[in-house]
Amino acid sequence: MSNLSTLTNGRRSAEQITGDLVPQPFGKRGMIWVSVLIVLCLIGAFAYFRQLQEGLVVTGMRDYVSWGIYISNFVFFVAISLVGSLITAIFRLANVEWSTPLTRIAEIIAVSAITFASLIIIVDMGRPERLYNLLLHGRLQSPITWDVIVITTYFFISLLLLYLPLLPDLKILNGQKTKNLPWQNKIYTFLGSFWKGSEEQFKISEKAISILCIMIIPVAFCIHTVTSWLFATTYRPGWDSTNFGAYFISGAFLVGSGGVIVAMYVFRKYYHLEKYITELHFEKMGRIAVMLSLIYLYFNVNEYLVPAFKMKKSEAAHLEELFTGEFSLMFWFAILVGMIIPIFVMLFKAGRKPFPMFIVGMMIVVGAWFKRYLIVTPTLLHPFLPMQNVPDNYMHYFPTWEEWAITIGSLAGALLIITFFVRIFPIIPIHETITEQHEKAEHISVSK
Amino acid sequence: MKNNNNIPRRDFLFTGLLTAALGGCNDKKNPFAQDEVVLTGEKVKLLSVDGEVIEIDKAFLKPIPDVPHLTNAEEREGIPGKKFVMVIDLARCKNLRKCQSACNHMHQVHPGQNWIKVLGMEDADHTAPYWQPTTCMHCDEPPCVKVCPVDATFKRQDGIVLIDNERCIGCRFCMAACPYSARVFNWEETLMASQGGSEEHHHHNSGPTSVAHQVKGTVGKCDFCPEMTRQGELPHCVSACPNGVFMFGDLNEDTVTNGAETFRFSELIKDKAGYRLMEDLGTKPSVYYLPPVNRNFPYESGLEKETGDEK
Ligand code: SF4
Ligand code: SF4
Ligand code: SF4
């Protein structure tokens, strides 16, 4: 079946491919989707406005739980953004050919996620208007400073990795001005008119992409390792772990691939891209996701079972809360739905078909979001000295509507960036697809 | 430095205290009457000793000469030649929490929050419970200072760890890093500001040691009362405790005092086997504890306060 589709694909002309892949206007469903996202963003913006006025008192955070879902949401965003480096760079360096149609999906997820990671961390600040102090008085020994540096670097490399491969496609789009809407033409001309597609330009761009692909891998490892160090550099039970960097990175690749799988399914279904995102892609992504889940599971075993074996006093209170206490429901949900069940589903061939993969991808992403919450909050409820001399509400944490609204708004915002991107640019690289078809066609004719 | 033509906020408070002390907030007898002050008509809000905000004419304010006006940089330096330490004698504590109310009052700590907590400790099932007043430890290897991205939390040469509320960006990394949970955050409008005094007034003397210097969206914690120690006086909690639990002093001089008694620091620690909290973390606190042996009060005598106080 998959072979068949590759064969028929091989016979499609460049015009057909372009016709299939150029950005489509939103349909009715698309409009509803966009409106819902915009409404969610506006509610989030209103909640943030309230927070700016009243102060962080509108959140459920207090002196003990001083970091809440803003921070876990930030970790989630940073995690999911790592997929850009996995699919674009690691696959590229490993000569994985089938990943071509997925690169742009991965890269736009990375860019939008890292954008909102930066925004959400500003939302979490008590004094956002003093952000410039980071430049004025920034101190190099603080993990926050490292985070700011690597996240900015990662953002720009990702943006370039999104932009450079887009240039040949912009030329194609610029070549059919009559079919585009005027505002689209403006964007295309602005972004890509200098690109003539000459051999020299291709050479430069190829070289730049290769260099960026190599650069982005250590930077990607850095952003998530440093993010994990925001926790691991403290003494708190549940955070004080040497395992944290690797644990975070493995989790990040897992949630990122989950996100890509979901996006693959949605784009394929909505834009009828069955010929480009084939079952083969789901099959391969499924295998990769199983591997990633197993790696993440391995680190989870290390993270929870080793301290649980010793049950040091401070760790014990924390672990008991996770395993059997207040957070146990969420904990087992995150472990089972976010890791174990997906592994079992994807081990079977039938489980790696598009629809089951879509469900599994959703499970991974949702499980991962709650996993981040579990990493941040329960630890703060187990300080070394007993929680006393404080009002009752200091000893619990549940996010307020403002926190939910801002968090959901930020998730909606990230989806909105992706949605608008797909409306303006081809989500599957046209030029690369055409080139690959040609190569394949040649290959077939030669072998005949 | 910022507003030279304005009288520093610190002075407002001090004169306010004076006003209240002399006049007892009594309208009939104006202690300034003989001074024949010309009223400016401009009112300022002050804090009385009872913790109430009172309004008086600006003309009554007088700068206090013995409080030097320090720049931010000078305050960050600290007092040369000093190394402040505190010794807390657990054998004397009966959870009266006079330290707490004095500190809260003098620093206008937000209701519900405390810079000093008296924790009811019980280390294990069959060990003896005791009351443990807990301030900021003013660590010599302070994790909070290590993680602060903007140098808003810093360690002075006299050992005091302070917060510059004009610089803090409110990231709360220091709160996560502090193993002693010493830090509080100004989640909303500070007490002074919400009672009508504008936050602006706080900032006149924008050094980190200004009294009641708290700013919405930034962190706060026990500061070892640097405005008191600079004048050679004891921190408020020390003088407020009727049982003499707290002893404060200078490590270089090797003396600590609770006001009534003075000890040689090294001997006191040696005789009573003083220790510090969480020594294994390597934070090197400046606060020492004397173990709760030969107690002055049974643990239970502190429980009354506990039940009556918890909201
Ligand atoms: S007790 Fe906490 S806040 Fe105080 S110096 Fe040590 S780490 Fe910093
Ligand atoms: S909250 Fe303020 S003092 Fe604490 S680490 Fe952040 S900037 Fe520094
Ligand atoms: S030393 Fe000063 S700030 Fe610290 S607890 Fe005592 S009164 Fe409060």
Side-chain angles (χ1 to χ4, degrees):
Chain A
M1 165 71 206
S2 53
N3 282 340
L4 193 71
S5 66
T6 351
L7 276 180
T8 41
N9 233 356
R11 295 202 195 100
R12 292 183 81 79
S13 69
E15 288 72 39
Q16 275 175 311
I17 293 177
T18 316
D20 284 348
L21 297 182
V22 287
Q24 310 286 329
F26 296 136
K28 202 172 147 207
R29 273 185 300 166
M31 283 314 236
I32 297 175
W33 167 250
V34 171
S35 337
V36 169
L37 291 182
I38 291 181
V39 169
L40 290 176
C41 285
L42 289 178
I43 298 176
F46 172 69
Y48 186 51
F49 173 71
R50 266 186 54 79
Q51 181 181 310
L52 282 180
Q53 267 189 328
E54 307 286 320
L56 281 166
V57 67
V58 300
T59 71
M61 292 184 277
R62 288 300 177 262
D63 292 344
Y64 285 109
V65 182
S66 48
W67 281 344
I69 51 170
Y70 293 156
I71 295 289
S72 54
N73 199 36
F74 161 76
V75 177
F76 174 80
F77 273 130
V78 177
I80 207 164
S81 78
L82 242 61
V83 75
S85 73
L86 173 72
I87 292 196
T88 328
I90 299 183
F91 283 12
R92 187 190 161 98
L93 295 178
N95 272 328
V96 176
E97 274 163 20
W98 54 264
S99 69
T100 314
L102 312 184
T103 49
R104 199 162 289 160
I105 297 180
E107 217 49 65
I108 184 61
I109 292 182
V111 169
S112 66
I114 207 75
T115 308
F116 274 89
S118 326
L119 288 180
I120 209 76
I121 206 76
I122 294 174
V123 165
D124 185 68
M125 286 169 51
R127 281 280 171 168
E129 81 281 8
R130 292 186 186 167
L131 198 63
Y132 64 88
N133 277 356
L134 282 173
L135 301 174
L136 228 59
H137 305 287
R139 287 164 94 218
L140 211 54
Q141 97 282 34
S142 168
I144 290 193
T145 315
W146 313 338
D147 224 9
V148 172
I149 295 171
V150 284
I151 284 184
T152 321
T153 316
Y154 188 74
F155 174 77
F156 283 108
I157 299 182
S158 297
L159 207 58
L160 283 175
L161 277 178
L162 185 65
Y163 179 56
L164 293 180
L166 199 63
L167 285 169
D169 287 4
L170 288 176
K171 181 168 174 257
I172 293 172
L173 292 168
N174 267 329
Q176 46 152 24
K177 281 204 169 11
T178 46
K179 288 191 201 154
N180 309 333
L181 297 168
W183 61 266
Q184 280 178 308
N185 279 328
K186 257 188 215 154
I187 297 178
Y188 300 149
T189 327
F190 176 72
L191 287 175
S193 57
F194 70 92
W195 179 266
K196 302 286 176 278
S198 67
E199 213 164 292
E200 198 186 351
Q201 279 186 325
F202 264 112
K203 234 190 222 158
I204 297 174
S205 135
E206 275 296 306
K207 199 166 173 190
I209 293 175
S210 296
I211 295 173
L212 289 172
C213 277
I214 295 169
M215 268 172 68
I216 200 169
I217 295 172
V219 178
F221 273 69
C222 281
I223 61 167
H224 219 40
T225 308
V226 171
T227 303
S228 82
W229 286 348
L230 295 184
F231 308 99
T233 50
T234 71
Y235 298 95
R236 308 234 173 199
W239 290 355
D240 181 12
S241 155
T242 45
N243 186 29
F244 245 45
Y247 169 55
F248 267 47
I249 289 179
S250 62
F253 282 143
L254 177 62
V255 52
S257 58
V260 167
I261 290 166
V262 172
M264 276 162 64
Y265 183 84
V266 172
F267 291 140
R268 169 181 141 118
K269 188 108 186 142
Y270 195 75
Y271 292 114
H272 307 291
L273 300 174
E274 284 84 356
K275 295 193 202 67
Y276 303 92
I277 302 177
T278 63
E279 295 206 355
L280 183 83
H281 287 109
F282 285 93
E283 163 79 22
K284 298 253 189 203
M285 281 307 288
R287 284 161 188 260
I288 287 172
V290 169
M291 185 191 73
L292 292 171
S293 311
L294 285 170
I295 297 177
Y296 191 43
L297 192 63
Y298 167 77
F299 280 111
N300 270 280
V301 168
N302 275 284
E303 193 51 44
Y304 292 112
L305 289 194
V306 175
F309 187 86
K310 295 177 281 191
M311 278 292 182
K312 282 200 283 190
K313 191 176 164 194
S314 54
E315 298 274 352
H318 171 63
L319 288 172
E320 272 158 17
E321 199 87 322
L322 289 181
F323 294 164
T324 52
E326 199 189 326
F327 294 99
S328 56
L329 205 66
M330 199 191 282
F331 179 77
W332 294 112
F333 172 86
I335 297 280
L336 288 175
V337 174
M339 263 176 279
I340 311 233
I341 299 176
I343 293 177
F344 279 110
V345 173
M346 290 185 297
L347 275 180
F348 296 99
K349 201 166 172 60
R352 296 193 296 266
K353 295 273 173 230
F355 185 67
M357 282 293 285
F358 168 69
I359 300 291
V360 165
M362 288 296 276
M363 283 163 62
I364 291 177
V365 173
V366 174
W369 193 90
F370 283 102
K371 191 79 200 327
R372 303 301 177 277
Y373 182 86
L374 289 169
I375 290 174
V376 174
T377 298
T379 281
L380 289 166
L381 284 168
H382 297 99
F384 290 112
L385 295 173
M387 295 194 281
Q388 291 177 12
N389 296 198
V390 288
D392 267 348
N393 65 339
Y394 278 44
M395 297 194 237
H396 307 277
Y397 172 71
F398 194 78
T400 57
W401 79 259
E402 283 93 347
E403 279 174 284
W404 285 118
I406 291 176
T407 305
I408 293 171
S410 70
L411 294 166
L415 292 174
L416 204 59
I417 293 189
I418 299 173
T419 311
F420 282 138
F421 181 84
V422 182
R423 173 66 194 88
I424 305 173
F425 302 105
I427 189 65
I428 292 181
I430 303 179
H431 174 80
E432 280 176 69
T433 311
I434 295 174
T435 332
E436 273 181 17
Q437 298 305 329
H438 278 302
E439 278 165 11
K440 240 177 244 161
E442 272 165 32
H443 185 71
I444 289 167
S445 58
V446 167
S447 58
K448 264 177 197 164
Chain B
M1 195 174 77
K2 255 196 218 162
N3 293 295
N4 286 330
N5 47 347
N6 282 315
I7 298 149
R9 150 86 205 123
R10 169 160 56 198
D11 303 349
F12 286 161
L13 185 72
F14 273 71
T15 331
L17 290 172
L18 197 66
T19 320
L22 291 175
C25 285
N26 193 337
D27 283 338
K28 283 174 226 158
K29 194 174 152 245
N30 187 341
F32 291 99
Q34 63 269 52
D35 287 0
E36 289 188 27
V37 239
V38 188
L39 297 186
T40 59
E42 206 182 326
K43 300 276 184 196
V44 284
K45 296 214 157 111
L46 295 174
L47 181 66
S48 80
V49 268
D50 320 316
E52 271 163 34
V53 173
I54 50 171
E55 224 175 55
I56 66 154
D57 195 279
K58 206 170 182 177
F60 290 130
L61 296 172
K62 284 184 211 143
I64 291 180
D66 65 342
V67 180
H69 192 105
L70 297 173
T71 63
N72 187 300
E74 282 165 333
E75 303 237 48
R76 280 175 169 266
E77 275 296 296
I79 307 167
K82 295 274 180 194
K83 176 78 180 75
F84 294 114
V85 281
M86 186 183 267
V87 180
I88 298 176
D89 189 350
L90 299 179
R92 300 177 175 200
C93 180
K94 62 175 283 192
N95 193 24
L96 269 184
R97 302 215 189 149
K98 293 280 184 218
C99 52
Q100 197 173 63
S101 45
C103 173
N104 286 358
H105 171 219
M106 293 311 292
H107 296 104
Q108 290 288 288
V109 178
H110 205 78
Q113 294 180 319
N114 301 295
W115 285 4
I116 178 169
K117 288 180 186 159
V118 185
L119 303 174
M121 302 288 288
E122 183 157 19
D123 298 338
D125 282 350
H126 301 292
T127 58
Y130 56 95
W131 298 108
Q132 177 185 290
T134 318
T135 62
C136 166
M137 300 290 135
H138 296 272
C139 309
D140 283 345
E141 296 290 343
C144 55
V145 172
K146 253 192 232 172
V147 299
C148 179
V150 295
D151 205 10
T153 276
F154 54 91
K155 174 103 181 150
R156 310 200 311 182
Q157 54 171 316
D158 54 16
I160 298 184
V161 173
L162 280 186
I163 297 156
D164 184 345
N165 293 84
E166 292 305 310
R167 186 184 288 184
C168 170
I169 59 173
C171 66
R172 308 193 294 295
F173 198 0
C174 52
M175 300 181 80
C178 171
Y180 305 94
S181 309
R183 294 179 163 248
V184 301
F185 190 76
N186 290 306
W187 300 101
E188 57 187 322
E189 212 64 79
T190 52
L191 196 58
M192 201 62 188
S194 63
Q195 282 184 350
S198 80
E199 232 177 41
E200 277 307 301
H201 269 151
H202 290 237
H203 300 178
H204 282 166
N205 191 9
S206 82
T209 58
S210 319
V211 182
H213 186 81
Q214 292 180 61
V215 181
K216 178 179 157 190
T218 66
V219 282
K221 68 165 186 68
C222 154
D223 56 9
F224 260 15
C225 299
E227 76 289 348
M228 299 301 282
T229 48
R230 198 176 276 280
Q231 300 172 76
E233 297 194 29
L234 290 172
H236 305 294
C237 57
V238 179
S239 28
C241 179
N243 298 325
V245 169
F246 302 89
M247 278 143 282
F248 191 84
D250 181 359
L251 193 67
N252 295 338
E253 287 171 9
D254 200 21
T255 42
V256 286
T257 176
N258 58 15
E261 310 151 271
T262 304
F263 300 92
R264 202 143 280 294
F265 169 78
S266 51
E267 275 166 24
L268 183 66
I269 295 294
K270 204 166 111 192
D271 290 349
K272 299 254 176 99
Y275 64 95
R276 303 185 290 189
L277 295 186
M278 298 176 215
E279 200 64 77
D280 53 326
L281 299 183
T283 49
K284 303 192 181 147
S286 300
V287 177
Y288 292 74
Y289 285 89
L290 304 181
V293 287
N294 300 328
R295 302 192 204 189
N296 291 1
F297 310 98
Y299 173 79
E300 290 69 28
S301 66
L303 286 172
E304 279 166 50
K305 182 78 186 169
E306 195 71 355
T307 39
D309 201 72
E310 291 299 282
K311 281 154 243 175

